[in-house]
Structures are given as structure tokens and as C-alpha cells.
Amino acid sequence: MTNEQDKEREQESTKETGIELEEYKRLAEERFDKLKYLQADFDNYRKKFDKEKESIIRLANENLIQELIVILDDFESSIRLTENDKNKEGILLMKKKFFDLLQKHGLKEIESLGKKFDPNFHDILCKELSEHDDDIVIEEIQKGYILCSKVIRPTKVKISKKDNSQNQQPSRSKLRGKTI
């Protein structure tokens, strides 16, 4: 009987060990799943933090470059007002070096002259009768700039308004009763 009792105890012990093993296995899987979620959450947090950091740097650069654009305007004014060719040449060289530096940081001029008015890139300051089609930029009053595909200052422009009075033919209704 002791032999049978030993076998029963051994079987019960094996069953209990098997049940405990299953419980530990389930617990380990549960904790491993939690670990995976925590790892994913941490990765998402790190990506969000990196994006925010880039955004802060980009905003700081944008504010600085917006303030430096005023210096480009001053160079433009100086070039227009300088009569001495040697002085004008020096100012042009300094302006080019300064603009090249800003270009390295993503600044681009908005090309406007001769193009159709686009409210995303232009601010209209005035309209002028012209032989051009309607809404064509005929003069840049102040240059506009794009920084890393974002307009940081729109170009202030003068646009055309088609002058129809020059090319207008008298209509038939106006010709009735008149001899030509």
C-alpha cells in the first residue's frame, strides 16, 4: 500500500507541479505582453519627443530668419540708393554672401514677376491697368520668402488689370444708324 500511496502522492505532486507550471507560464506571458506594450509606449514617446524638439528648433530658426530678412531688405535699399559702382559692387557681394548663408538654412525667394497672382504666396498692394491678362504680377514691391516649404513672408505685389478700352471694337448695336 505504501507503494500505491507513493504513486498517488507522486501523481498529485506532478499534477500540482503541472498546474503551477501552467500558472507561471501564463503569468510570464502576461508580463511579457505588458513589457511589449511598455516598449511600444516608450518608442512612441521618444518619437513624439524628437518631433517636438525638431519643431522647437524649426520655430526658433524661423523667428531668427524672419528678423534677418529685414537686413536683406536693407541691402536691397542700399543697392538702389548707392550711386558709386564700386560701393554698389561691395554691397551686392555682401548681400549675396548673406543670402547664401540663409539659403543653407532653407530660405528661398518667392519668384513672382510675370506669374499669376496666388494668395498663398502674394499680398496685393495695388492693381494697375495693363496689356497683360488679369491678375498677373507686374511688380514686386517687397520680396517674399519661403522657409522649408512654409511661406514666412508673402511677396507684396502690384498686379495687372487688363485694359479692355484699347482693344475694344465697337459693337454692332453701337454701329446701327451710323455710317462708316
Side-chain angles (χ1 to χ4, degrees), residues 160-176:
S160 63
K161 181 169 171 65
K162 189 160 181 119
D163 187 5
N164 292 330
S165 64
Q166 294 173 350
N167 300 333
Q168 218 172 25
Q169 298 283 332
S171 65
R172 290 187 178 258
S173 62
K174 290 181 182 176
L175 293 177
R176 283 192 194 132

Side-chain angles (χ1 to χ4, degrees), residues 125-165:
L125 293 185
C126 56
K127 290 185 177 187
E128 185 176 285
L129 290 176
S130 169
E131 70 276 356
H132 295 95
D133 291 336
D134 280 346
D135 297 334
I136 300 296
V137 175
I138 55 176
E139 184 182 337
E140 285 183 350
I141 297 168
Q142 184 182 47
K143 288 190 183 283
Y145 296 95
I146 296 172
L147 180 64
C148 302
S149 71
K150 179 184 176 189
V151 176
I152 60 170
R153 184 172 85 182
T155 305
K156 293 182 178 23
V157 297
K158 180 190 293 186
I159 63 169
S160 63
K161 181 169 171 65
K162 189 160 181 119
D163 187 5
N164 292 330
S165 64

Side-chain angles (χ1 to χ4, degrees), residues 22-34:
E22 287 296 319
E23 182 64 27
Y24 286 132
K25 188 177 177 183
R26 185 189 59 73
L27 191 59
E29 286 175 359
E30 212 174 88
R31 289 183 178 164
F32 185 68
D33 286 344
K34 283 183 183 179

Side-chain angles (χ1 to χ4, degrees), residues 44 50-51 54 103 153 157 161-162:
N44 290 338
D50 288 345
K51 282 183 183 178
E54 287 175 19
Q103 276 183 318
R153 184 172 85 182
V157 297
K161 181 169 171 65
K162 189 160 181 119

Side-chain angles (χ1 to χ4, degrees), residues 64-80:
L64 176 64
I65 288 177
Q66 280 180 325
E67 290 180 25
L68 293 175
I69 287 174
V70 175
I71 297 171
L72 282 176
D73 294 338
D74 292 342
F75 277 125
E76 290 289 328
S77 296
S78 297
I79 291 166
R80 261 186 277 118

Side-chain angles (χ1 to χ4, degrees), residues 43-73:
D43 287 344
N44 290 338
Y45 169 77
R46 189 178 59 221
K47 289 175 187 174
K48 183 180 177 185
F49 178 78
D50 288 345
K51 282 183 183 178
E52 286 177 7
K53 186 171 110 179
E54 287 175 19
S55 177
I56 290 168
I57 291 169
R58 190 172 40 251
L59 181 63
N61 284 343
E62 180 180 326
N63 290 338
L64 176 64
I65 288 177
Q66 280 180 325
E67 290 180 25
L68 293 175
I69 287 174
V70 175
I71 297 171
L72 282 176
D73 294 338

Side-chain angles (χ1 to χ4, degrees), residues 109-122:
E109 281 185 5
I110 297 173
E111 298 294 327
S112 301
L113 210 52
K115 296 188 177 177
K116 188 149 179 74
F117 168 75
D118 183 346
N120 297 311
F121 298 103
H122 307 124

